[in-house]
Amino acid sequence: MNIATELAKVKTQTCTQNTADTKCTSAWLAANINVGRNGEGGVIAAYCTDRYLVLQTTMKPGWATDMDDISQAPGGTASDGSACVTGEISSTMPRLETQAFPLESVYELWSTDDDLQNKDYFDQCTLASGETECAQATGQGDAGRYFNDGTNSYALPSDAGIGISVTGQSIYPLYSNTLQITLESCEVDSCNEHVGQGGGQPHLHGDPFSATAGKCLYSAENYTDSSGNEDLTVHPPVIGFSYDGPLIYGRYLSNAAPGFSTGLDNCGGHTHGDYAYHYHSQIIQATTTNGNKGISKNSNTGKTYPAFVPGVFNCWKAKIYDLNGGSTNVFWTKNKDKDLTAVCDGSTNYWVKDGYCLPGADNYDTCTTSATQTTTATTTTTTTTTDDTTDDTTDGTTDDTTGTSGASSVVASLAAAAAAAVVAM
Ligand SMILES: [Zn+2]
Ligand SMILES: [Zn+2]
């Protein structure tokens, strides 16, 4: 596939770009898109329409993946060393996906941070006669439906992404499709990346932070002051975009950083100073359950370990319906709607990777593509991803996730933050 050819197919529309939203200026996009890992990210173009921030991305991770780097599940290791499993990366074939994120003027926040308040707006629900809301089978992992392990539920997708990183990679919830923390399921590598046993593209299930500069998406070197010098007391950097709209920032590394004292809510976000509501990745104290993949089942529960939330925690804080100024629910279809995500004609604020031309951009008539844009497929198998297939679906007991959130757990973990990322992950 030639990515430049695919990008040339992006539609244009008559609209006025929103530039009032912080993330919509060329300067902001240049400072944040594909930042981390020396700009190796998969984003090809980024722009705002009047209603959405839109990314054109190959969905590839911004760094060389090492899926053998799977940590043993907390609480113990399997004696035969077979506890940790992951699939093969089978869909790094180049493709160009459109990803859209509602702008601040478009979405509305819920007044509370209830785990379930968006659940009635999940798609792929066929209401049976007499039903008024989507039924959810225990442990069911159908894309688009919310998590339910039979005891706990969260209105987050059970088998689909919750957002996209600044390097263009999918971010999934902290949980597997049966609501088990993926670290405990032994399914993520040290960058919190996962590939299901059915294969597919590596995606994130946790905070892609590493104490080692350049290993994962970001590290301490990405915390910089206005002069570009490393400074852990600045607000953490942007690491991603949540599908409901708010930005996702990295974890706090200093309790002197702006907003640190404003605890994160149940959705993993907060509002402070000039910052509109946004999410932060964070370290939580989790506890092993009897579904722990690293040890004999039922024999070693209750051990605490640090887990790494990828920003959005137990809920989306914005209302995921009514995003288009009407009653039509476009949340689940917006990424596929080529009219909705088309570039505003004559756009002056955008980011496009070197050597590529964005239709609708002000310089498009004179822009020339370089000859180096054909991306070679490393593998050309199916793009269908079977996610989290290692979960135990026969477990009839309660897989209680006991992670806690908030500033206190962050404080407790701060001193060990960098070390934990290396040792535990
Ligand atoms: Zn903040
Ligand atoms: Zn996964």
Side-chain angles (χ1 to χ4, degrees), residues 235-236 249 252 258-260 262 264 270-272 275 278-280:
H235 194 260
Y249 289 80
Y252 279 101
F260 178 82
T262 307
L264 301 175
H270 65 179
T271 307
H272 57 86
Y275 292 85
H278 57 280
Y279 302 103
H280 277 280

Side-chain angles (χ1 to χ4, degrees), residues 65-422:
T65 53
D66 178 11
M67 297 307 293
D68 295 330
D69 183 17
I70 306 288
S71 21
Q72 291 293 327
T77 55
S79 54
D80 62 358
S82 64
C84 291
V85 288
T86 189
E88 295 286 322
I89 298 171
S90 62
S91 65
T92 52
M93 61 188 294
R95 63 186 197 270
L96 197 66
E97 284 197 12
T98 302
Q99 300 285 343
F101 311 89
L103 297 178
E104 274 176 48
S105 55
V106 173
Y107 63 78
E108 220 182 299
L109 300 176
W110 291 97
S111 56
T112 61
D113 60 343
D114 186 280
D115 296 346
L116 286 174
Q117 54 204 351
N118 275 315
K119 76 177 171 63
D120 290 347
Y121 306 102
F122 274 59
D123 71 339
Q124 298 191 2
C125 169
T126 304
L127 293 178
S129 173
E131 276 186 343
T132 56
E133 63 179 49
C134 298
Q136 172 74 24
T138 300
Q140 186 168 352
D142 289 349
R145 292 206 184 175
Y146 60 91
F147 282 115
N148 185 333
D149 70 351
T151 302
N152 295 316
S153 296
Y154 301 122
L156 287 176
S158 56
D159 197 9
I162 51 175
I164 297 288
S165 74
V166 289
T167 54
Q169 186 178 25
S170 267
I171 304 172
Y172 278 56
L174 175 66
Y175 309 101
S176 71
N177 62 349
T178 56
L179 208 51
Q180 188 174 29
I181 291 179
T182 44
L183 180 58
E184 188 183 355
S185 314
C186 209
E187 292 182 283
V188 288
D189 71 6
S190 65
C191 290
N192 284 304
E193 281 191 296
H194 172 242
V195 173
Q197 285 198 296
Q201 193 100 318
H203 52 272
L204 299 167
H205 275 281
D207 186 18
F209 176 89
S210 174
T212 305
K215 178 167 172 50
C216 303
L217 191 150
Y218 75 114
S219 60
E221 67 174 1
N222 296 106
Y223 295 64
T224 54
D225 62 21
S226 54
S227 306
N229 298 316
E230 184 175 315
D231 180 359
L232 303 185
T233 67
V234 300
H235 194 260
V238 174
I239 61 169
F241 307 96
S242 180
Y243 281 140
D244 61 331
L247 291 168
I248 302 171
Y249 289 80
R251 65 175 69 171
Y252 279 101
L253 294 181
S254 166
N255 58 13
F260 178 82
S261 57
T262 307
L264 301 175
D265 65 18
N266 201 26
C267 299
H270 65 179
T271 307
H272 57 86
D274 293 334
Y275 292 85
Y277 184 86
H278 57 280
Y279 302 103
H280 277 280
S281 58
Q282 62 175 309
I283 302 172
I284 61 165
Q285 190 86 330
T287 307
T288 54
T289 68
N290 60 14
N292 185 352
K293 298 296 193 296
I295 53 175
S296 303
K297 198 168 174 175
N298 300 320
S299 68
N300 203 2
T301 62
K303 290 187 184 298
T304 57
Y305 66 98
F308 309 97
V309 179
V312 179
F313 190 9
N314 291 329
C315 38
W316 274 312
K317 187 61 177 282
K319 299 173 179 176
I320 64 169
Y321 67 102
D322 198 22
L323 289 177
N324 209 27
S327 58
T328 309
N329 183 0
V330 299
F331 182 79
W332 300 105
T333 57
K334 64 189 187 316
N335 293 347
K336 297 235 172 0
D337 191 327
K338 300 301 182 194
D339 293 324
L340 207 63
T341 57
V343 188
C344 291
D345 245 328
S347 285
T348 54
N349 282 274
Y350 52 87
W351 179 92
V352 64
K353 198 165 189 168
D354 277 352
Y356 292 87
C357 300
L358 179 67
D362 55 352
N363 74 340
Y364 192 62
D365 290 343
T366 55
C367 180
T368 52
T369 57
S370 79
T372 59
Q373 293 170 4
T374 304
T375 309
T376 305
T378 51
T379 318
T380 51
T381 55
T382 174
T383 57
T384 303
T385 301
T386 305
D387 189 51
D388 298 322
T389 50
T390 59
D391 298 300
D392 184 356
T393 53
T394 62
D395 182 1
T397 56
T398 304
D399 282 340
D400 189 15
T401 54
T402 53
T404 55
S405 64
S408 59
S409 63
V410 178
V411 173
S413 304
L414 257 180
V422 172

